[in-house]
Amino acid sequence: MPKITYKDKDGNSKIIEVENGLSVMEGAIQNDIPGIDADCGGAMACATCHVYVEEKWFDKLSKAEDAEVDMIDMANEPKRNSRLSCQLIVSDELDGLIVTTPEKQS
Ligand code: FES
């Protein structure tokens, strides 16, 4: 299974094996990763699953659709490498992905 690294603002990290087809958000929820609440359950309506994607991975992801970009604008401290983790579907290509939760979500 692909390994996803979840980091918090202090640099603490957890490496979790996440099943293909689940979202990065679902991997976090199933493993009690702090800072990813996913209040809307993945419906792109809350932005509480907002993460920063490590730069080297950012360009490998499928592009965010307009609705995701709009929701990221409402997230805490959005940056160029912001994504909603509920929209990142785990696959073998994402093995090694590193995401960091924003300070105010932690
Ligand atoms: S879980 Fe609500 S926007 Fe991702």
Side-chain angles (χ1 to χ4, degrees):
M1 278 196 280
K3 291 186 177 67
I4 309 294
T5 300
Y6 298 86
K7 282 187 179 176
D8 67 19
K9 61 174 171 50
D10 298 322
N12 301 313
S13 62
K14 277 189 184 166
I15 300 173
I16 306 285
E17 290 191 343
V18 181
E19 208 175 300
N20 280 337
L22 292 181
S23 67
V24 172
M25 173 277 276
E26 289 169 316
I29 296 296
Q30 289 180 1
N31 291 281
D32 297 321
I33 300 294
I36 297 181
D37 292 341
D39 290 341
C40 77
M44 246 193 312
C46 72
T48 61
C49 65
H50 172 213
V51 293
Y52 303 124
V53 176
E54 197 93 343
E55 291 288 345
K56 73 171 186 176
W57 284 98
F58 190 77
D59 295 333
K60 296 181 184 173
L61 302 174
S62 57
K63 226 169 152 333
E65 31 177 293
D66 290 348
E68 182 182 349
V69 172
D70 289 347
M71 191 52 62
I72 288 170
D73 283 343
M74 290 187 262
N76 279 320
E77 302 165 1
K79 296 182 185 173
R80 195 198 78 83
N81 60 333
S82 288
R83 291 297 302 263
L84 298 181
S85 59
C86 67
Q87 301 304 304
L88 304 177
I89 304 303
V90 173
S91 65
D92 290 339
E93 288 71 44
L94 293 193
D95 185 29
L97 178 72
I98 302 170
V99 298
T100 303
T101 48
E103 185 168 356
K104 286 189 179 149
Q105 275 173 219
S106 303

Short mmCIF file of all heavy atoms in Angstrom, two decimals, residues 64-91:
data_model
loop_
_atom_site.label_atom_id
_atom_site.label_comp_id
_atom_site.label_asym_id
_atom_site.label_seq_id
_atom_site.Cartn_x
_atom_site.Cartn_y
_atom_site.Cartn_z
N ALA A 64 -6.37 20.87 -9.37
CA ALA A 64 -7.59 21.11 -8.57
C ALA A 64 -8.68 21.68 -9.47
O ALA A 64 -8.42 22.54 -10.30
CB ALA A 64 -7.28 22.09 -7.45
N GLU A 65 -9.91 21.19 -9.30
CA GLU A 65 -11.01 21.78 -10.06
C GLU A 65 -11.40 23.13 -9.43
O GLU A 65 -11.00 23.43 -8.31
CB GLU A 65 -12.21 20.85 -10.19
CG GLU A 65 -12.44 19.90 -9.06
CD GLU A 65 -13.70 19.06 -9.23
OE1 GLU A 65 -14.79 19.65 -9.18
OE2 GLU A 65 -13.59 17.83 -9.39
N ASP A 66 -12.19 23.89 -10.18
CA ASP A 66 -12.53 25.25 -9.74
C ASP A 66 -13.16 25.27 -8.35
O ASP A 66 -12.87 26.13 -7.53
CB ASP A 66 -13.48 25.92 -10.74
CG ASP A 66 -12.77 26.24 -12.05
OD1 ASP A 66 -11.53 26.14 -12.09
OD2 ASP A 66 -13.47 26.57 -13.03
N ALA A 67 -14.04 24.30 -8.09
CA ALA A 67 -14.74 24.29 -6.79
C ALA A 67 -13.74 24.08 -5.65
O ALA A 67 -13.89 24.65 -4.57
CB ALA A 67 -15.79 23.18 -6.78
N GLU A 68 -12.72 23.27 -5.89
CA GLU A 68 -11.69 23.06 -4.86
C GLU A 68 -10.89 24.34 -4.65
O GLU A 68 -10.62 24.73 -3.51
CB GLU A 68 -10.77 21.89 -5.24
CG GLU A 68 -9.72 21.63 -4.16
CD GLU A 68 -8.74 20.52 -4.49
OE1 GLU A 68 -8.95 19.78 -5.46
OE2 GLU A 68 -7.74 20.41 -3.75
N VAL A 69 -10.52 24.98 -5.75
CA VAL A 69 -9.75 26.23 -5.65
C VAL A 69 -10.56 27.27 -4.86
O VAL A 69 -10.02 27.96 -3.99
CB VAL A 69 -9.39 26.76 -7.06
CG1 VAL A 69 -8.76 28.15 -6.97
CG2 VAL A 69 -8.46 25.79 -7.76
N ASP A 70 -11.86 27.36 -5.15
CA ASP A 70 -12.71 28.32 -4.43
C ASP A 70 -12.73 28.01 -2.93
O ASP A 70 -12.69 28.91 -2.09
CB ASP A 70 -14.14 28.27 -4.97
CG ASP A 70 -14.24 28.87 -6.35
OD1 ASP A 70 -13.27 29.53 -6.78
OD2 ASP A 70 -15.28 28.67 -7.01
N MET A 71 -12.81 26.72 -2.60
CA MET A 71 -12.87 26.34 -1.18
C MET A 71 -11.52 26.59 -0.50
O MET A 71 -11.48 27.03 0.66
CB MET A 71 -13.27 24.86 -1.09
CG MET A 71 -13.63 24.38 0.29
SD MET A 71 -14.86 25.36 1.17
CE MET A 71 -16.27 25.19 0.10
N ILE A 72 -10.43 26.36 -1.21
CA ILE A 72 -9.10 26.62 -0.63
C ILE A 72 -8.96 28.11 -0.30
O ILE A 72 -8.35 28.48 0.70
CB ILE A 72 -7.98 26.14 -1.60
CG1 ILE A 72 -7.94 24.61 -1.59
CG2 ILE A 72 -6.63 26.73 -1.22
CD1 ILE A 72 -7.05 24.00 -2.65
N ASP A 73 -9.55 28.97 -1.13
CA ASP A 73 -9.50 30.42 -0.85
C ASP A 73 -10.10 30.74 0.50
O ASP A 73 -9.75 31.74 1.12
CB ASP A 73 -10.26 31.20 -1.94
CG ASP A 73 -9.46 31.30 -3.22
OD1 ASP A 73 -8.24 31.07 -3.18
OD2 ASP A 73 -10.07 31.60 -4.26
N MET A 74 -11.03 29.90 0.97
CA MET A 74 -11.68 30.15 2.27
C MET A 74 -10.99 29.41 3.42
O MET A 74 -11.41 29.50 4.56
CB MET A 74 -13.14 29.73 2.19
CG MET A 74 -13.96 30.64 1.30
SD MET A 74 -15.70 30.24 1.39
CE MET A 74 -15.89 29.24 -0.05
N ALA A 75 -9.97 28.63 3.11
CA ALA A 75 -9.28 27.85 4.14
C ALA A 75 -8.36 28.75 4.96
O ALA A 75 -8.07 29.89 4.57
CB ALA A 75 -8.47 26.74 3.48
N ASN A 76 -7.86 28.22 6.07
CA ASN A 76 -6.87 28.94 6.88
C ASN A 76 -5.54 28.99 6.14
O ASN A 76 -5.04 27.97 5.68
CB ASN A 76 -6.64 28.20 8.22
CG ASN A 76 -7.71 28.50 9.21
OD1 ASN A 76 -8.16 29.64 9.32
ND2 ASN A 76 -8.13 27.48 9.93
N GLU A 77 -4.99 30.20 6.02
CA GLU A 77 -3.65 30.39 5.48
C GLU A 77 -3.37 29.61 4.20
O GLU A 77 -2.46 28.79 4.15
CB GLU A 77 -2.61 29.99 6.54
CG GLU A 77 -2.74 30.76 7.83
CD GLU A 77 -1.97 30.12 8.98
OE1 GLU A 77 -1.33 29.08 8.77
OE2 GLU A 77 -2.03 30.67 10.07
N PRO A 78 -4.16 29.83 3.15
CA PRO A 78 -3.88 29.12 1.91
C PRO A 78 -2.54 29.54 1.30
O PRO A 78 -2.13 30.69 1.44
CB PRO A 78 -5.05 29.52 1.00
CG PRO A 78 -5.60 30.77 1.57
CD PRO A 78 -5.31 30.74 3.03
N LYS A 79 -1.88 28.59 0.66
CA LYS A 79 -0.61 28.86 -0.01
C LYS A 79 -0.68 28.26 -1.41
O LYS A 79 -1.61 27.54 -1.75
CB LYS A 79 0.55 28.21 0.75
CG LYS A 79 0.77 28.76 2.14
CD LYS A 79 1.98 28.07 2.77
CE LYS A 79 2.16 28.52 4.21
NZ LYS A 79 3.22 27.74 4.88
N ARG A 80 0.37 28.50 -2.19
CA ARG A 80 0.42 28.00 -3.57
C ARG A 80 0.28 26.48 -3.62
O ARG A 80 -0.26 25.92 -4.54
CB ARG A 80 1.75 28.43 -4.22
CG ARG A 80 1.78 28.29 -5.71
CD ARG A 80 3.19 28.29 -6.27
NE ARG A 80 3.87 27.00 -6.08
CZ ARG A 80 3.72 25.96 -6.89
NH1 ARG A 80 2.94 26.04 -7.93
NH2 ARG A 80 4.36 24.82 -6.64
N ASN A 81 0.79 25.81 -2.59
CA ASN A 81 0.78 24.34 -2.58
C ASN A 81 -0.35 23.77 -1.73
O ASN A 81 -0.28 22.64 -1.26
CB ASN A 81 2.13 23.79 -2.10
CG ASN A 81 2.47 24.24 -0.70
OD1 ASN A 81 2.03 25.29 -0.24
ND2 ASN A 81 3.28 23.46 -0.02
N SER A 82 -1.40 24.55 -1.53
CA SER A 82 -2.56 24.08 -0.76
C SER A 82 -3.42 23.14 -1.60
O SER A 82 -3.63 23.38 -2.79
CB SER A 82 -3.43 25.27 -0.34
OG SER A 82 -2.82 26.02 0.66
N ARG A 83 -3.95 22.12 -0.96
CA ARG A 83 -4.96 21.25 -1.58
C ARG A 83 -5.93 20.79 -0.48
O ARG A 83 -5.61 20.85 0.71
CB ARG A 83 -4.31 19.99 -2.20
CG ARG A 83 -3.47 20.24 -3.43
CD ARG A 83 -4.24 20.81 -4.61
NE ARG A 83 -5.35 19.98 -5.07
CZ ARG A 83 -5.28 19.12 -6.10
NH1 ARG A 83 -4.15 19.00 -6.77
NH2 ARG A 83 -6.34 18.41 -6.46
N LEU A 84 -7.10 20.35 -0.92
CA LEU A 84 -8.03 19.70 0.00
C LEU A 84 -7.70 18.21 -0.03
O LEU A 84 -7.74 17.58 -1.10
CB LEU A 84 -9.47 19.93 -0.44
CG LEU A 84 -9.95 21.38 -0.46
CD1 LEU A 84 -11.42 21.42 -0.91
CD2 LEU A 84 -9.79 22.05 0.89
N SER A 85 -7.38 17.65 1.13
CA SER A 85 -6.93 16.25 1.13
C SER A 85 -8.06 15.29 0.75
O SER A 85 -7.80 14.16 0.35
CB SER A 85 -6.32 15.87 2.48
OG SER A 85 -7.25 16.05 3.53
N CYS A 86 -9.32 15.75 0.84
CA CYS A 86 -10.42 14.87 0.43
C CYS A 86 -10.46 14.69 -1.09
O CYS A 86 -11.16 13.81 -1.59
CB CYS A 86 -11.76 15.36 0.95
SG CYS A 86 -12.33 16.92 0.24
N GLN A 87 -9.74 15.53 -1.81
CA GLN A 87 -9.74 15.45 -3.27
C GLN A 87 -8.50 14.75 -3.81
O GLN A 87 -8.33 14.61 -5.02
CB GLN A 87 -9.84 16.86 -3.87
CG GLN A 87 -11.10 17.60 -3.43
CD GLN A 87 -12.36 16.81 -3.76
OE1 GLN A 87 -12.58 16.44 -4.92
NE2 GLN A 87 -13.19 16.53 -2.75
N LEU A 88 -7.63 14.31 -2.92
CA LEU A 88 -6.40 13.62 -3.34
C LEU A 88 -6.60 12.12 -3.16
O LEU A 88 -6.63 11.62 -2.03
CB LEU A 88 -5.21 14.10 -2.50
CG LEU A 88 -4.97 15.62 -2.53
CD1 LEU A 88 -3.81 15.98 -1.61
CD2 LEU A 88 -4.71 16.10 -3.95
N ILE A 89 -6.78 11.42 -4.26
CA ILE A 89 -7.05 9.99 -4.20
C ILE A 89 -5.74 9.22 -4.26
O ILE A 89 -4.92 9.42 -5.17
CB ILE A 89 -7.99 9.56 -5.36
CG1 ILE A 89 -9.28 10.40 -5.33
CG2 ILE A 89 -8.30 8.06 -5.26
CD1 ILE A 89 -10.06 10.34 -4.01
N VAL A 90 -5.57 8.35 -3.28
CA VAL A 90 -4.32 7.61 -3.15
C VAL A 90 -4.20 6.55 -4.25
O VAL A 90 -5.16 5.85 -4.57
CB VAL A 90 -4.25 6.95 -1.75
CG1 VAL A 90 -3.04 6.03 -1.64
CG2 VAL A 90 -4.22 8.02 -0.67
N SER A 91 -3.00 6.49 -4.83
CA SER A 91 -2.68 5.47 -5.83
C SER A 91 -1.19 5.17 -5.68
O SER A 91 -0.48 5.87 -4.95
CB SER A 91 -2.97 5.99 -7.24
OG SER A 91 -2.09 7.07 -7.52
#
